[in-house]
Amino acid sequence: MTSDKAELQESGAVKSAMRVLDLFEYLGRWGDKTHTEIARELDIPKSSLTQLLKTLVRRGYLIYQPASKGYELGPAIADLARRVGDSTDLVSVAAPVLSWITGETQESCALNFIKGDRSEVVAAVTSPRRLLYHMQSGDSAPLYATSGGKALLAHLPEEMRRDYLSRVVLEPITPNTITTIPALEAELADVRAKGYAQVVEEFTIGIAGVARPVLSASGFPLASLNIAMPIARFEDAARDRCLAVLEKAVADIRHQCGWI
């Protein structure tokens, strides 16, 4: 693609994004406006506006009112706002829970959020043992390669998960990393069935981990809690102990946040 074509494409994308934002701000202030009113007051060609409105209604960001033939902001807007609030509360609620997890297991643990196509550590507590795996806020990894990432990915709404799987490139980070979509899909189905994710040297050689998702009241994966340890200590008894601790930790967080 030539630089001129790229610039035109980027300009068109920015213009479309600006129209969406202008529309949200306009309806947020005035509400219940017809197609004609929106086109006139925001100076958007009617043909372009028709497709934009259809898409936003289908995704739940707008609602069409047949009686007035007007459009209003939809429930998806409120859902986004709730998720921001939930995520903010989650970090403060999770801090003492993370300390409890490490106290119970003597292993490093973390709270992870989805950031684009990656999972990112937003809070962590380090194991007091000499042989340990260190995690800190800001660390990130592909969703498909870590226990925390898989716990998040497996519980995304189907449309979001399919979109991710249709474009992700599975790079072989270690010899154990999953590198085919069918294998990843099968593992994600297993994660949903079992309620937890597990990796053994898929992101870091010598390290294994387990994770459980932290689901909102609506079932959206707001975060995941994971425990990571050297494979020298990753025996069945240790894994089962970690999973039991994570189950209690997730229940505690969801209870404190009012999601159960």
Side-chain angles (χ1 to χ4, degrees), residues 3-217:
S3 60
D4 287 345
K5 287 183 178 179
E7 288 177 5
L8 285 172
Q9 188 178 65
E10 182 179 358
S11 175
V14 171
K15 187 173 184 179
S16 296
M18 291 298 293
R19 282 176 174 171
V20 171
L21 295 176
D22 287 343
L23 180 58
F24 286 163
E25 292 176 354
Y26 173 69
L27 292 179
R29 181 175 179 83
W30 303 107
D32 199 11
K33 291 290 185 176
T34 66
H35 184 288
T36 300
E37 290 172 327
I38 295 170
R40 181 181 66 247
E41 296 180 34
L42 294 184
D43 193 24
I44 301 175
K46 287 187 176 181
S47 57
S48 299
L49 180 60
T50 297
Q51 293 305 314
L52 179 60
L53 292 173
K54 285 182 178 179
T55 299
L56 294 174
V57 168
R58 186 168 61 250
R59 296 291 294 270
Y61 288 97
L62 296 182
I63 294 175
Y64 177 68
Q65 301 291 359
S68 64
K69 297 183 179 181
Y71 293 86
E72 298 177 347
L73 295 181
I77 295 288
D79 188 46
L80 285 177
R82 281 195 300 271
R83 289 181 192 174
V84 172
D86 288 345
S87 297
T88 302
D89 294 341
L90 193 51
V91 176
S92 59
V93 169
V97 177
L98 291 172
S99 296
W100 176 78
I101 292 172
T102 293
E104 291 290 309
T105 65
Q106 297 296 290
E107 302 292 355
S108 298
C109 65
L111 177 73
N112 312 280
F113 285 176
I114 291 180
K115 293 294 179 71
D117 288 344
R118 301 176 70 84
S119 64
E120 182 176 301
V121 174
V122 294
V125 174
T126 301
S127 167
R129 296 181 175 183
R130 295 182 66 180
L131 181 62
L132 58 87
Y133 183 62
H134 185 74
M135 295 180 285
Q136 61 182 2
S137 183
D139 288 348
S140 70
L143 288 168
Y144 63 84
T146 65
S147 61
K150 288 181 183 180
L152 290 163
L153 181 57
H155 290 84
L156 282 175
E158 184 176 357
E159 182 179 353
M160 295 179 67
R161 190 170 62 254
R162 288 188 179 279
D163 175 66
Y164 171 85
L165 293 172
S166 71
R167 54 187 167 73
V168 66
V169 176
L170 302 177
E171 298 181 358
I173 302 168
T174 76
N176 285 357
T177 306
I178 288 180
T179 55
T180 70
I181 295 300
L184 179 57
E185 288 182 312
E187 182 163 346
L188 295 178
D190 190 53
V191 171
R192 289 192 295 277
K194 292 180 176 179
Y196 70 87
Q198 173 181 309
V199 297
V200 179
E201 298 185 294
E202 292 185 38
F203 183 66
T204 305
I205 295 295
I207 298 299
V210 291
R212 290 188 183 275
V214 180
L215 305 178
S216 70

